[in-house]
Amino acid sequence: VVRQVIQAVCEVSRDLSCFNVTVFGRPFKNNGAFTTPSNEEFDTSLKQRNPLWGYRDIQSEIIPAANAQGLSHDATFNMPANNFLLTFIKTEP
């Protein structure tokens, strides 16, 4: 699972050759917590279908994977429908 997160961040990082900012928007866990009980239920249903699916945690999965690819977490915004918008700045060439 972490490998898939890192792979996705790697792909984004490579695509930033002429930009310095990237944005991820979706529902995430935040510090291991779901924003609503319905998000937790949906995450459980996803993992029952495929153990590799499910919500990712901002602090323990997304930010470390981004940092490993030269992306620095800039900001987290709360969005409608219990989603988050994460911005990252490319720190390495």
Side-chain angles (χ1 to χ4, degrees), residues 34-70:
F34 291 94
T35 55
T36 64
S38 63
N39 277 355
E40 186 171 8
E41 291 166 11
F42 185 59
D43 178 71
T44 299
S45 74
L46 289 171
K47 289 179 179 174
Q48 287 172 347
R49 287 184 255 169
N50 185 328
L52 299 177
W53 295 354
Y55 287 38
R56 302 291 173 242
D57 187 73
I58 295 170
Q59 286 74 27
S60 68
E61 295 178 276
I62 303 301
I63 292 174
N67 291 163
Q69 296 305 313

PDB file of all heavy atoms in Angstrom, residues 34-70:
ATOM      1  N   PHE A  34     -10.790   9.443  10.749  1.00  0.00           N
ATOM      2  CA  PHE A  34     -11.718   9.740   9.663  1.00  0.00           C
ATOM      3  C   PHE A  34     -12.499  11.000  10.018  1.00  0.00           C
ATOM      4  O   PHE A  34     -12.740  11.281  11.194  1.00  0.00           O
ATOM      5  CB  PHE A  34     -12.683   8.571   9.454  1.00  0.00           C
ATOM      6  CG  PHE A  34     -12.011   7.345   8.903  1.00  0.00           C
ATOM      7  CD1 PHE A  34     -11.556   6.353   9.759  1.00  0.00           C
ATOM      8  CD2 PHE A  34     -11.816   7.194   7.547  1.00  0.00           C
ATOM      9  CE1 PHE A  34     -10.932   5.225   9.260  1.00  0.00           C
ATOM     10  CE2 PHE A  34     -11.187   6.073   7.037  1.00  0.00           C
ATOM     11  CZ  PHE A  34     -10.739   5.080   7.895  1.00  0.00           C
ATOM     12  N   THR A  35     -12.924  11.740   9.009  1.00  0.00           N
ATOM     13  CA  THR A  35     -13.685  12.964   9.273  1.00  0.00           C
ATOM     14  C   THR A  35     -15.129  12.669   9.640  1.00  0.00           C
ATOM     15  O   THR A  35     -15.764  13.477  10.322  1.00  0.00           O
ATOM     16  CB  THR A  35     -13.654  13.908   8.060  1.00  0.00           C
ATOM     17  OG1 THR A  35     -14.127  13.200   6.913  1.00  0.00           O
ATOM     18  CG2 THR A  35     -12.246  14.435   7.817  1.00  0.00           C
ATOM     19  N   THR A  36     -15.653  11.519   9.207  1.00  0.00           N
ATOM     20  CA  THR A  36     -17.043  11.146   9.518  1.00  0.00           C
ATOM     21  C   THR A  36     -17.144   9.635   9.666  1.00  0.00           C
ATOM     22  O   THR A  36     -16.326   8.896   9.101  1.00  0.00           O
ATOM     23  CB  THR A  36     -18.014  11.574   8.398  1.00  0.00           C
ATOM     24  OG1 THR A  36     -17.689  10.847   7.214  1.00  0.00           O
ATOM     25  CG2 THR A  36     -17.957  13.067   8.132  1.00  0.00           C
ATOM     26  N   PRO A  37     -18.142   9.155  10.364  1.00  0.00           N
ATOM     27  CA  PRO A  37     -18.370   7.706  10.425  1.00  0.00           C
ATOM     28  C   PRO A  37     -18.635   7.111   9.040  1.00  0.00           C
ATOM     29  O   PRO A  37     -18.206   5.989   8.753  1.00  0.00           O
ATOM     30  CB  PRO A  37     -19.596   7.567  11.332  1.00  0.00           C
ATOM     31  CG  PRO A  37     -19.589   8.789  12.177  1.00  0.00           C
ATOM     32  CD  PRO A  37     -19.042   9.887  11.286  1.00  0.00           C
ATOM     33  N   SER A  38     -19.302   7.864   8.160  1.00  0.00           N
ATOM     34  CA  SER A  38     -19.579   7.323   6.822  1.00  0.00           C
ATOM     35  C   SER A  38     -18.292   7.150   6.015  1.00  0.00           C
ATOM     36  O   SER A  38     -18.184   6.208   5.218  1.00  0.00           O
ATOM     37  CB  SER A  38     -20.565   8.213   6.065  1.00  0.00           C
ATOM     38  OG  SER A  38     -20.037   9.499   5.851  1.00  0.00           O
ATOM     39  N   ASN A  39     -17.299   8.012   6.227  1.00  0.00           N
ATOM     40  CA  ASN A  39     -16.009   7.820   5.552  1.00  0.00           C
ATOM     41  C   ASN A  39     -15.325   6.551   6.047  1.00  0.00           C
ATOM     42  O   ASN A  39     -14.729   5.803   5.272  1.00  0.00           O
ATOM     43  CB  ASN A  39     -15.097   9.025   5.774  1.00  0.00           C
ATOM     44  CG  ASN A  39     -15.367  10.154   4.810  1.00  0.00           C
ATOM     45  OD1 ASN A  39     -16.171  10.040   3.895  1.00  0.00           O
ATOM     46  ND2 ASN A  39     -14.699  11.272   5.024  1.00  0.00           N
ATOM     47  N   GLU A  40     -15.417   6.297   7.341  1.00  0.00           N
ATOM     48  CA  GLU A  40     -14.818   5.079   7.899  1.00  0.00           C
ATOM     49  C   GLU A  40     -15.517   3.837   7.354  1.00  0.00           C
ATOM     50  O   GLU A  40     -14.863   2.848   6.999  1.00  0.00           O
ATOM     51  CB  GLU A  40     -14.878   5.106   9.423  1.00  0.00           C
ATOM     52  CG  GLU A  40     -14.154   3.944  10.066  1.00  0.00           C
ATOM     53  CD  GLU A  40     -14.027   4.086  11.564  1.00  0.00           C
ATOM     54  OE1 GLU A  40     -14.631   5.004  12.157  1.00  0.00           O
ATOM     55  OE2 GLU A  40     -13.303   3.266  12.155  1.00  0.00           O
ATOM     56  N   GLU A  41     -16.834   3.892   7.249  1.00  0.00           N
ATOM     57  CA  GLU A  41     -17.592   2.764   6.690  1.00  0.00           C
ATOM     58  C   GLU A  41     -17.224   2.527   5.230  1.00  0.00           C
ATOM     59  O   GLU A  41     -17.056   1.373   4.799  1.00  0.00           O
ATOM     60  CB  GLU A  41     -19.093   3.031   6.816  1.00  0.00           C
ATOM     61  CG  GLU A  41     -19.584   3.008   8.248  1.00  0.00           C
ATOM     62  CD  GLU A  41     -20.985   3.597   8.410  1.00  0.00           C
ATOM     63  OE1 GLU A  41     -21.670   3.842   7.384  1.00  0.00           O
ATOM     64  OE2 GLU A  41     -21.384   3.816   9.570  1.00  0.00           O
ATOM     65  N   PHE A  42     -17.088   3.607   4.471  1.00  0.00           N
ATOM     66  CA  PHE A  42     -16.734   3.458   3.058  1.00  0.00           C
ATOM     67  C   PHE A  42     -15.320   2.893   2.924  1.00  0.00           C
ATOM     68  O   PHE A  42     -15.060   2.026   2.082  1.00  0.00           O
ATOM     69  CB  PHE A  42     -16.868   4.789   2.324  1.00  0.00           C
ATOM     70  CG  PHE A  42     -16.632   4.684   0.853  1.00  0.00           C
ATOM     71  CD1 PHE A  42     -17.408   3.851   0.061  1.00  0.00           C
ATOM     72  CD2 PHE A  42     -15.633   5.420   0.246  1.00  0.00           C
ATOM     73  CE1 PHE A  42     -17.186   3.748  -1.296  1.00  0.00           C
ATOM     74  CE2 PHE A  42     -15.403   5.330  -1.110  1.00  0.00           C
ATOM     75  CZ  PHE A  42     -16.183   4.491  -1.892  1.00  0.00           C
ATOM     76  N   ASP A  43     -14.390   3.352   3.754  1.00  0.00           N
ATOM     77  CA  ASP A  43     -13.025   2.827   3.746  1.00  0.00           C
ATOM     78  C   ASP A  43     -13.035   1.325   4.015  1.00  0.00           C
ATOM     79  O   ASP A  43     -12.348   0.556   3.331  1.00  0.00           O
ATOM     80  CB  ASP A  43     -12.188   3.558   4.799  1.00  0.00           C
ATOM     81  CG  ASP A  43     -10.775   3.030   4.893  1.00  0.00           C
ATOM     82  OD1 ASP A  43      -9.983   3.266   3.959  1.00  0.00           O
ATOM     83  OD2 ASP A  43     -10.457   2.369   5.909  1.00  0.00           O
ATOM     84  N   THR A  44     -13.826   0.892   4.998  1.00  0.00           N
ATOM     85  CA  THR A  44     -13.939  -0.537   5.309  1.00  0.00           C
ATOM     86  C   THR A  44     -14.468  -1.313   4.108  1.00  0.00           C
ATOM     87  O   THR A  44     -13.946  -2.376   3.771  1.00  0.00           O
ATOM     88  CB  THR A  44     -14.845  -0.751   6.538  1.00  0.00           C
ATOM     89  OG1 THR A  44     -14.257  -0.073   7.655  1.00  0.00           O
ATOM     90  CG2 THR A  44     -15.006  -2.223   6.859  1.00  0.00           C
ATOM     91  N   SER A  45     -15.481  -0.764   3.446  1.00  0.00           N
ATOM     92  CA  SER A  45     -16.050  -1.467   2.284  1.00  0.00           C
ATOM     93  C   SER A  45     -15.043  -1.548   1.140  1.00  0.00           C
ATOM     94  O   SER A  45     -14.977  -2.556   0.436  1.00  0.00           O
ATOM     95  CB  SER A  45     -17.345  -0.801   1.817  1.00  0.00           C
ATOM     96  OG  SER A  45     -17.097   0.408   1.145  1.00  0.00           O
ATOM     97  N   LEU A  46     -14.243  -0.495   0.957  1.00  0.00           N
ATOM     98  CA  LEU A  46     -13.204  -0.534  -0.081  1.00  0.00           C
ATOM     99  C   LEU A  46     -12.174  -1.622   0.220  1.00  0.00           C
ATOM    100  O   LEU A  46     -11.800  -2.404  -0.663  1.00  0.00           O
ATOM    101  CB  LEU A  46     -12.504   0.820  -0.183  1.00  0.00           C
ATOM    102  CG  LEU A  46     -13.292   1.964  -0.783  1.00  0.00           C
ATOM    103  CD1 LEU A  46     -12.532   3.279  -0.618  1.00  0.00           C
ATOM    104  CD2 LEU A  46     -13.602   1.706  -2.246  1.00  0.00           C
ATOM    105  N   LYS A  47     -11.722  -1.687   1.469  1.00  0.00           N
ATOM    106  CA  LYS A  47     -10.702  -2.667   1.852  1.00  0.00           C
ATOM    107  C   LYS A  47     -11.228  -4.096   1.805  1.00  0.00           C
ATOM    108  O   LYS A  47     -10.461  -5.027   1.591  1.00  0.00           O
ATOM    109  CB  LYS A  47     -10.146  -2.327   3.234  1.00  0.00           C
ATOM    110  CG  LYS A  47      -9.281  -1.087   3.208  1.00  0.00           C
ATOM    111  CD  LYS A  47      -8.753  -0.750   4.576  1.00  0.00           C
ATOM    112  CE  LYS A  47      -7.864   0.475   4.492  1.00  0.00           C
ATOM    113  NZ  LYS A  47      -7.437   0.936   5.796  1.00  0.00           N
ATOM    114  N   GLN A  48     -12.535  -4.274   1.979  1.00  0.00           N
ATOM    115  CA  GLN A  48     -13.114  -5.608   1.846  1.00  0.00           C
ATOM    116  C   GLN A  48     -13.059  -6.072   0.394  1.00  0.00           C
ATOM    117  O   GLN A  48     -12.891  -7.249   0.115  1.00  0.00           O
ATOM    118  CB  GLN A  48     -14.561  -5.623   2.347  1.00  0.00           C
ATOM    119  CG  GLN A  48     -14.659  -5.539   3.849  1.00  0.00           C
ATOM    120  CD  GLN A  48     -16.082  -5.349   4.354  1.00  0.00           C
ATOM    121  OE1 GLN A  48     -16.990  -5.037   3.595  1.00  0.00           O
ATOM    122  NE2 GLN A  48     -16.269  -5.537   5.650  1.00  0.00           N
ATOM    123  N   ARG A  49     -13.198  -5.128  -0.520  1.00  0.00           N
ATOM    124  CA  ARG A  49     -13.113  -5.465  -1.948  1.00  0.00           C
ATOM    125  C   ARG A  49     -11.681  -5.685  -2.399  1.00  0.00           C
ATOM    126  O   ARG A  49     -11.412  -6.526  -3.235  1.00  0.00           O
ATOM    127  CB  ARG A  49     -13.751  -4.366  -2.791  1.00  0.00           C
ATOM    128  CG  ARG A  49     -15.259  -4.380  -2.691  1.00  0.00           C
ATOM    129  CD  ARG A  49     -15.852  -3.351  -3.592  1.00  0.00           C
ATOM    130  NE  ARG A  49     -16.297  -2.252  -2.728  1.00  0.00           N
ATOM    131  CZ  ARG A  49     -16.675  -1.087  -3.150  1.00  0.00           C
ATOM    132  NH1 ARG A  49     -16.661  -0.807  -4.435  1.00  0.00           N
ATOM    133  NH2 ARG A  49     -17.079  -0.161  -2.306  1.00  0.00           N
ATOM    134  N   ASN A  50     -10.774  -4.883  -1.841  1.00  0.00           N
ATOM    135  CA  ASN A  50      -9.367  -5.001  -2.198  1.00  0.00           C
ATOM    136  C   ASN A  50      -8.552  -4.394  -1.051  1.00  0.00           C
ATOM    137  O   ASN A  50      -8.668  -3.193  -0.786  1.00  0.00           O
ATOM    138  CB  ASN A  50      -9.076  -4.266  -3.506  1.00  0.00           C
ATOM    139  CG  ASN A  50      -7.650  -4.463  -3.979  1.00  0.00           C
ATOM    140  OD1 ASN A  50      -6.723  -4.609  -3.185  1.00  0.00           O
ATOM    141  ND2 ASN A  50      -7.465  -4.458  -5.286  1.00  0.00           N
ATOM    142  N   PRO A  51      -7.718  -5.176  -0.380  1.00  0.00           N
ATOM    143  CA  PRO A  51      -6.952  -4.678   0.767  1.00  0.00           C
ATOM    144  C   PRO A  51      -6.023  -3.506   0.432  1.00  0.00           C
ATOM    145  O   PRO A  51      -5.615  -2.775   1.323  1.00  0.00           O
ATOM    146  CB  PRO A  51      -6.138  -5.887   1.220  1.00  0.00           C
ATOM    147  CG  PRO A  51      -6.813  -7.065   0.636  1.00  0.00           C
ATOM    148  CD  PRO A  51      -7.505  -6.594  -0.619  1.00  0.00           C
ATOM    149  N   LEU A  52      -5.707  -3.304  -0.838  1.00  0.00           N
ATOM    150  CA  LEU A  52      -4.835  -2.200  -1.226  1.00  0.00           C
ATOM    151  C   LEU A  52      -5.588  -0.881  -1.374  1.00  0.00           C
ATOM    152  O   LEU A  52      -4.981   0.167  -1.498  1.00  0.00           O
ATOM    153  CB  LEU A  52      -4.123  -2.530  -2.547  1.00  0.00           C
ATOM    154  CG  LEU A  52      -3.220  -3.755  -2.515  1.00  0.00           C
ATOM    155  CD1 LEU A  52      -2.629  -4.007  -3.888  1.00  0.00           C
ATOM    156  CD2 LEU A  52      -2.121  -3.585  -1.476  1.00  0.00           C
ATOM    157  N   TRP A  53      -6.902  -0.945  -1.401  1.00  0.00           N
ATOM    158  CA  TRP A  53      -7.716   0.254  -1.546  1.00  0.00           C
ATOM    159  C   TRP A  53      -7.967   0.882  -0.180  1.00  0.00           C
ATOM    160  O   TRP A  53      -7.701   0.291   0.856  1.00  0.00           O
ATOM    161  CB  TRP A  53      -9.039  -0.080  -2.203  1.00  0.00           C
ATOM    162  CG  TRP A  53      -8.950  -0.572  -3.619  1.00  0.00           C
ATOM    163  CD1 TRP A  53      -7.832  -0.640  -4.405  1.00  0.00           C
ATOM    164  CD2 TRP A  53     -10.008  -1.095  -4.404  1.00  0.00           C
ATOM    165  NE1 TRP A  53      -8.139  -1.154  -5.626  1.00  0.00           N
ATOM    166  CE2 TRP A  53      -9.483  -1.443  -5.660  1.00  0.00           C
ATOM    167  CE3 TRP A  53     -11.366  -1.305  -4.175  1.00  0.00           C
ATOM    168  CZ2 TRP A  53     -10.255  -1.981  -6.671  1.00  0.00           C
ATOM    169  CZ3 TRP A  53     -12.136  -1.838  -5.192  1.00  0.00           C
ATOM    170  CH2 TRP A  53     -11.583  -2.169  -6.428  1.00  0.00           C
ATOM    171  N   GLY A  54      -8.519   2.082  -0.191  1.00  0.00           N
ATOM    172  CA  GLY A  54      -8.906   2.733   1.052  1.00  0.00           C
ATOM    173  C   GLY A  54      -8.330   4.119   1.182  1.00  0.00           C
ATOM    174  O   GLY A  54      -7.552   4.575   0.351  1.00  0.00           O
ATOM    175  N   TYR A  55      -8.742   4.772   2.236  1.00  0.00           N
ATOM    176  CA  TYR A  55      -8.297   6.136   2.489  1.00  0.00           C
ATOM    177  C   TYR A  55      -6.846   6.120   2.963  1.00  0.00           C
ATOM    178  O   TYR A  55      -6.422   5.233   3.687  1.00  0.00           O
ATOM    179  CB  TYR A  55      -9.155   6.769   3.569  1.00  0.00           C
ATOM    180  CG  TYR A  55     -10.563   7.130   3.139  1.00  0.00           C
ATOM    181  CD1 TYR A  55     -11.299   6.331   2.280  1.00  0.00           C
ATOM    182  CD2 TYR A  55     -11.149   8.289   3.618  1.00  0.00           C
ATOM    183  CE1 TYR A  55     -12.586   6.666   1.900  1.00  0.00           C
ATOM    184  CE2 TYR A  55     -12.445   8.645   3.240  1.00  0.00           C
ATOM    185  CZ  TYR A  55     -13.150   7.824   2.384  1.00  0.00           C
ATOM    186  OH  TYR A  55     -14.413   8.162   2.013  1.00  0.00           O
ATOM    187  N   ARG A  56      -6.104   7.116   2.581  1.00  0.00           N
ATOM    188  CA  ARG A  56      -4.712   7.263   3.009  1.00  0.00           C
ATOM    189  C   ARG A  56      -4.633   8.365   4.063  1.00  0.00           C
ATOM    190  O   ARG A  56      -5.398   9.319   4.050  1.00  0.00           O
ATOM    191  CB  ARG A  56      -3.814   7.629   1.824  1.00  0.00           C
ATOM    192  CG  ARG A  56      -3.856   6.619   0.695  1.00  0.00           C
ATOM    193  CD  ARG A  56      -3.199   5.320   1.136  1.00  0.00           C
ATOM    194  NE  ARG A  56      -3.363   4.291   0.130  1.00  0.00           N
ATOM    195  CZ  ARG A  56      -4.014   3.153   0.307  1.00  0.00           C
ATOM    196  NH1 ARG A  56      -4.564   2.879   1.469  1.00  0.00           N
ATOM    197  NH2 ARG A  56      -4.124   2.274  -0.642  1.00  0.00           N
ATOM    198  N   ASP A  57      -3.661   8.226   4.949  1.00  0.00           N
ATOM    199  CA  ASP A  57      -3.490   9.201   6.015  1.00  0.00           C
ATOM    200  C   ASP A  57      -2.527  10.299   5.571  1.00  0.00           C
ATOM    201  O   ASP A  57      -1.443  10.011   5.043  1.00  0.00           O
ATOM    202  CB  ASP A  57      -2.960   8.521   7.273  1.00  0.00           C
ATOM    203  CG  ASP A  57      -2.925   9.479   8.443  1.00  0.00           C
ATOM    204  OD1 ASP A  57      -4.003   9.803   8.975  1.00  0.00           O
ATOM    205  OD2 ASP A  57      -1.817   9.937   8.796  1.00  0.00           O
ATOM    206  N   ILE A  58      -2.936  11.534   5.807  1.00  0.00           N
ATOM    207  CA  ILE A  58      -2.124  12.679   5.390  1.00  0.00           C
ATOM    208  C   ILE A  58      -0.743  12.636   6.038  1.00  0.00           C
ATOM    209  O   ILE A  58       0.276  12.724   5.353  1.00  0.00           O
ATOM    210  CB  ILE A  58      -2.836  14.008   5.745  1.00  0.00           C
ATOM    211  CG1 ILE A  58      -4.131  14.153   4.936  1.00  0.00           C
ATOM    212  CG2 ILE A  58      -1.905  15.202   5.506  1.00  0.00           C
ATOM    213  CD1 ILE A  58      -5.025  15.301   5.383  1.00  0.00           C
ATOM    214  N   GLN A  59      -0.691  12.493   7.371  1.00  0.00           N
ATOM    215  CA  GLN A  59       0.578  12.605   8.090  1.00  0.00           C
ATOM    216  C   GLN A  59       1.470  11.366   7.971  1.00  0.00           C
ATOM    217  O   GLN A  59       2.681  11.503   7.855  1.00  0.00           O
ATOM    218  CB  GLN A  59       0.342  12.911   9.573  1.00  0.00           C
ATOM    219  CG  GLN A  59      -0.082  14.330   9.835  1.00  0.00           C
ATOM    220  CD  GLN A  59      -1.535  14.592   9.415  1.00  0.00           C
ATOM    221  OE1 GLN A  59      -2.351  13.683   9.391  1.00  0.00           O
ATOM    222  NE2 GLN A  59      -1.827  15.827   9.075  1.00  0.00           N
ATOM    223  N   SER A  60       0.897  10.187   8.002  1.00  0.00           N
ATOM    224  CA  SER A  60       1.748   8.985   8.042  1.00  0.00           C
ATOM    225  C   SER A  60       2.027   8.388   6.665  1.00  0.00           C
ATOM    226  O   SER A  60       2.953   7.587   6.547  1.00  0.00           O
ATOM    227  CB  SER A  60       1.116   7.917   8.939  1.00  0.00           C
ATOM    228  OG  SER A  60      -0.069   7.407   8.364  1.00  0.00           O
ATOM    229  N   GLU A  61       1.271   8.769   5.637  1.00  0.00           N
ATOM    230  CA  GLU A  61       1.502   8.195   4.312  1.00  0.00           C
ATOM    231  C   GLU A  61       1.787   9.245   3.239  1.00  0.00           C
ATOM    232  O   GLU A  61       2.786   9.136   2.527  1.00  0.00           O
ATOM    233  CB  GLU A  61       0.285   7.365   3.878  1.00  0.00           C
ATOM    234  CG  GLU A  61       0.044   6.150   4.741  1.00  0.00           C
ATOM    235  CD  GLU A  61      -1.187   5.390   4.314  1.00  0.00           C
ATOM    236  OE1 GLU A  61      -2.301   5.770   4.748  1.00  0.00           O
ATOM    237  OE2 GLU A  61      -1.039   4.433   3.537  1.00  0.00           O
ATOM    238  N   ILE A  62       0.901  10.226   3.101  1.00  0.00           N
ATOM    239  CA  ILE A  62       1.015  11.166   1.986  1.00  0.00           C
ATOM    240  C   ILE A  62       2.217  12.099   2.140  1.00  0.00           C
ATOM    241  O   ILE A  62       3.048  12.205   1.231  1.00  0.00           O
ATOM    242  CB  ILE A  62      -0.288  11.980   1.825  1.00  0.00           C
ATOM    243  CG1 ILE A  62      -1.488  11.053   1.634  1.00  0.00           C
ATOM    244  CG2 ILE A  62      -0.163  12.986   0.677  1.00  0.00           C
ATOM    245  CD1 ILE A  62      -1.398  10.141   0.422  1.00  0.00           C
ATOM    246  N   ILE A  63       2.319  12.772   3.265  1.00  0.00           N
ATOM    247  CA  ILE A  63       3.423  13.720   3.446  1.00  0.00           C
ATOM    248  C   ILE A  63       4.784  13.030   3.396  1.00  0.00           C
ATOM    249  O   ILE A  63       5.684  13.498   2.688  1.00  0.00           O
ATOM    250  CB  ILE A  63       3.239  14.564   4.723  1.00  0.00           C
ATOM    251  CG1 ILE A  63       2.036  15.507   4.541  1.00  0.00           C
ATOM    252  CG2 ILE A  63       4.512  15.363   5.054  1.00  0.00           C
ATOM    253  CD1 ILE A  63       1.655  16.295   5.782  1.00  0.00           C
ATOM    254  N   PRO A  64       5.004  11.899   4.087  1.00  0.00           N
ATOM    255  CA  PRO A  64       6.312  11.232   3.977  1.00  0.00           C
ATOM    256  C   PRO A  64       6.643  10.782   2.546  1.00  0.00           C
ATOM    257  O   PRO A  64       7.787  10.901   2.105  1.00  0.00           O
ATOM    258  CB  PRO A  64       6.189  10.033   4.915  1.00  0.00           C
ATOM    259  CG  PRO A  64       5.156  10.432   5.911  1.00  0.00           C
ATOM    260  CD  PRO A  64       4.173  11.267   5.127  1.00  0.00           C
ATOM    261  N   ALA A  65       5.644  10.284   1.825  1.00  0.00           N
ATOM    262  CA  ALA A  65       5.884   9.864   0.440  1.00  0.00           C
ATOM    263  C   ALA A  65       6.249  11.065  -0.423  1.00  0.00           C
ATOM    264  O   ALA A  65       7.144  10.989  -1.274  1.00  0.00           O
ATOM    265  CB  ALA A  65       4.660   9.152  -0.119  1.00  0.00           C
ATOM    266  N   ALA A  66       5.578  12.173  -0.205  1.00  0.00           N
ATOM    267  CA  ALA A  66       5.878  13.388  -0.963  1.00  0.00           C
ATOM    268  C   ALA A  66       7.274  13.908  -0.624  1.00  0.00           C
ATOM    269  O   ALA A  66       8.048  14.268  -1.516  1.00  0.00           O
ATOM    270  CB  ALA A  66       4.823  14.450  -0.681  1.00  0.00           C
ATOM    271  N   ASN A  67       7.608  13.938   0.673  1.00  0.00           N
ATOM    272  CA  ASN A  67       8.939  14.398   1.092  1.00  0.00           C
ATOM    273  C   ASN A  67      10.044  13.574   0.456  1.00  0.00           C
ATOM    274  O   ASN A  67      11.073  14.121   0.040  1.00  0.00           O
ATOM    275  CB  ASN A  67       9.076  14.344   2.612  1.00  0.00           C
ATOM    276  CG  ASN A  67       8.229  15.362   3.355  1.00  0.00           C
ATOM    277  OD1 ASN A  67       8.006  15.219   4.547  1.00  0.00           O
ATOM    278  ND2 ASN A  67       7.729  16.392   2.675  1.00  0.00           N
ATOM    279  N   ALA A  68       9.829  12.274   0.361  1.00  0.00           N
ATOM    280  CA  ALA A  68      10.836  11.384  -0.233  1.00  0.00           C
ATOM    281  C   ALA A  68      11.060  11.685  -1.707  1.00  0.00           C
ATOM    282  O   ALA A  68      12.093  11.309  -2.265  1.00  0.00           O
ATOM    283  CB  ALA A  68      10.421   9.925  -0.054  1.00  0.00           C
ATOM    284  N   GLN A  69      10.114  12.385  -2.325  1.00  0.00           N
ATOM    285  CA  GLN A  69      10.231  12.727  -3.740  1.00  0.00           C
ATOM    286  C   GLN A  69      10.545  14.206  -3.963  1.00  0.00           C
ATOM    287  O   GLN A  69      10.387  14.730  -5.056  1.00  0.00           O
ATOM    288  CB  GLN A  69       8.938  12.357  -4.468  1.00  0.00           C
ATOM    289  CG  GLN A  69       8.652  10.882  -4.459  1.00  0.00           C
ATOM    290  CD  GLN A  69       9.827  10.088  -5.020  1.00  0.00           C
ATOM    291  OE1 GLN A  69      10.371  10.421  -6.064  1.00  0.00           O
ATOM    292  NE2 GLN A  69      10.228   9.042  -4.308  1.00  0.00           N
ATOM    293  N   GLY A  70      10.995  14.876  -2.903  1.00  0.00           N
ATOM    294  CA  GLY A  70      11.378  16.276  -3.037  1.00  0.00           C
ATOM    295  C   GLY A  70      10.211  17.239  -3.035  1.00  0.00           C
ATOM    296  O   GLY A  70      10.324  18.357  -3.535  1.00  0.00           O
TER     297      GLY A  70
END
